[in-house]
Amino acid sequence: MAYPIAKSELPFVLEKAIKDDEANFIEFYNTAGTISTRQHKLEVMPRIGKRHRDDILREREAAPFKDFADMQQRLKSVPDPVRIIADKIVEELQGASKYYLFVPLIRDRDLQERY
């Protein structure tokens, strides 16, 4: 059974959790590397393409981001970094992601083996 109210509230709950653990998620932006020779972890984030990726990499090379406010101040064209992570987590929870950066992939058979 779907819980539409819970589903609609999930992004807000995730954003709060991300802000509460800001240092951990800023570390992701400061250290994210490549997935392959052709793709970077930042590129698989919602609304981050090659241009935003390059902006983030250039700014973090100059100095690591201290927090989300610092990141937004230095990267005015990049969408809200908290929202980007929340949207990526929702995508991963829905099983709609090719790359899982924040949510471990749990398949139905894994659950059956546990329970």
Side-chain angles (χ1 to χ4, degrees):
M1 176 177 183
Y3 300 101
I5 294 172
K7 286 171 89 173
S8 68
E9 290 297 314
L10 181 60
F12 303 108
V13 172
L14 287 172
E15 286 179 28
K16 180 171 180 350
I18 291 163
K19 289 175 185 175
D20 288 348
D21 194 13
E22 184 173 19
N24 186 39
F25 290 101
I26 279 294
E27 185 67 15
F28 168 78
Y29 283 112
N30 282 328
T31 62
T34 58
I35 293 172
S36 68
T37 56
R38 295 183 180 182
Q39 196 161 34
H40 197 279
K41 286 180 182 177
L42 293 172
E43 288 176 77
V44 300
M45 302 296 285
R47 295 183 305 283
I48 293 185
K50 292 183 187 317
R51 191 181 107 238
H52 290 320
R53 176 208 60 199
D54 291 344
D55 292 344
I56 292 168
L57 293 175
R58 183 182 60 253
E59 282 298 319
R60 80 178 194 192
E61 191 174 302
F65 300 111
K66 296 176 198 156
D67 52 33
F68 291 126
D70 177 45
M71 190 173 178
Q72 287 183 297
Q73 178 66 34
R74 292 165 50 191
L75 298 164
K76 297 194 186 310
S77 68
V78 174
D80 179 4
V82 174
R83 185 68 184 263
I84 290 170
I85 292 173
D87 289 349
K88 178 65 175 153
I89 292 171
V90 168
E91 178 184 290
E92 291 178 14
L93 287 170
Q94 292 172 336
S97 185
K98 181 176 180 181
Y99 299 103
Y100 288 80
L101 305 176
F102 302 103
V103 178
L105 179 60
I106 299 173
R107 301 200 187 277
D108 289 339
R109 70 170 186 260
D110 294 335
L111 290 175
Q112 291 171 357
E113 289 174 7
R114 285 188 182 164
Y115 302 102

